[in-house]
DNA sequence: CTTGACCTTCCAGTAACTGGAAAGATTAGG
DNA sequence: CCTAATCTTTCCAGTTACTGGAAGGTCAAG
């Protein structure tokens, strides 16, 4: 499989697939005689694993960790759960932040007439 | 006022105050004989305005826009409201994303025993 | 043989700072 | 007046996770 087929199968851009090998997140793939990268099912599965982890918002370093747990038959589920729980609290923290931000901004937007007059509570609040 | 006093008053790191002038977000401040940047109340107010706008998650370019509206006596409140409303929808979109992410991840975390055994639904899901 | 779709490497840019080095200025204490 | 600590300056590099683009090699079809 050439890189574009692998990228397609994993649901990633070609550039990103190269990038992940460059930074050592995945092994460097073997090459054809012409120097083309060649991929097999196993590498595609790993790439897809990374894509899904990234979609969950895990950082590259967390993906590195998850990937090594993914490939380690003897890991404990506790190790995985620790990383996922950490990410979960981050998400919840971010949610709380966004909620108060939204409420405040929604309040400002509602109180602004949004007409041709210069009078603006949003600007007043920021200034 | 030297830079550290101004930064303190505006609630920003010194580095950031310099940075904002470097990228032309605020005017370059005047200099003392020794070349020290000197700030007055007005520039501190602008810096604080930017800080608050940034805290709302407005991008630097949006801050640029807001700042010019802030300084424009003749702007209409509609112009300001447009930018704030845009930001509000972004926040709400992000909230929806985070919510489904959280639900999915929370479900996985709950279903994972988190013990010494290798069996792990989180990894199973990602892989 | 040519055309177009691949592929390669390398370099640069994104957003918004942040850290650090090297060197000059100022201030407080002795 | 000297010195040490604390500013301040500029400049360069690093962060995160890619993404875009240029210059050039390869491959399959017609």
């Amino acid at each position: 499989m050439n890189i574009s087929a692998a990228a397609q199968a994993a649901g990633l851009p070609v550039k990103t697939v190269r990038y992940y090998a460059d930074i050592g997140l995945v092994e460097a793939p073997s090459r054809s005689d012409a120097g083309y990268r060649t991929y097999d099912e196993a590498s595609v599965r790993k790439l897809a694993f990374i894509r899904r982890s990234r979609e969950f918002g895990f950082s590259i370093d967390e993906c590195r960790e998850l990937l090594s747990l993914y490939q380690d038959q003897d890991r404990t589920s506790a190790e995985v759960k620790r990383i996922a729980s950490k990410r979960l609290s981050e998400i919840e923290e971010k949610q709380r932040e966004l909620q108060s931000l939204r409420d405040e901004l929604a309040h400002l937007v509602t109180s602004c007439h949004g007409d041709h007059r210069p009078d603006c509570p949003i600007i007043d609040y920021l200034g």
Side-chain angles (χ1 to χ4, degrees), chain A:
Chain A
M1 223 188 313
N2 279 349
I3 196 168
S4 61
Q8 172 110 48
L12 287 170
V14 168
K15 281 256 178 191
T16 303
V17 172
R18 278 196 207 98
Y19 174 72
Y20 285 164
D22 284 351
I23 63 171
L25 181 55
V26 296
E27 280 171 33
S30 52
R31 300 293 182 116
S32 72
D33 289 351
Y36 285 19
R37 291 168 178 81
T38 54
Y39 296 85
D40 57 14
E41 297 298 329
S43 18
V44 168
R45 267 195 302 278
K46 279 187 216 175
L47 288 167
F49 177 90
I50 296 167
R51 175 181 57 75
R52 278 187 290 270
S53 304
R54 290 286 301 132
E55 281 168 1
F56 266 110
F58 290 105
S59 71
I60 291 289
D61 273 349
E62 282 166 336
C63 289
R64 229 179 267 275
E65 239 184 306
L66 286 171
L67 201 52
S68 86
L69 294 175
Y70 173 58
Q71 298 172 266
D72 176 5
Q73 301 297 348
D74 298 336
R75 100 245 124 194
T76 67
S77 65
E79 292 176 90
V80 182
K81 188 168 182 168
R82 182 185 53 78
I83 299 175
S85 301
K86 174 169 164 286
R87 176 71 196 131
L88 184 56
S89 339
E90 285 166 6
I91 291 174
E92 288 170 347
E93 172 62 23
K94 190 73 189 170
Q95 281 189 308
R96 281 188 292 277
E97 258 177 55
L98 278 187
Q99 188 58 45
S100 60
L101 215 55
R102 192 216 83 94
D103 290 348
E104 217 173 339
L105 195 54
H107 175 69
L108 287 174
V109 164
T110 304
S111 64
C112 174
H113 292 298
D115 57 21
H116 63 286
R117 289 172 298 177
D119 194 50
C120 178
I122 302 172
I123 285 284
D124 290 348
Y125 180 89
L126 292 172

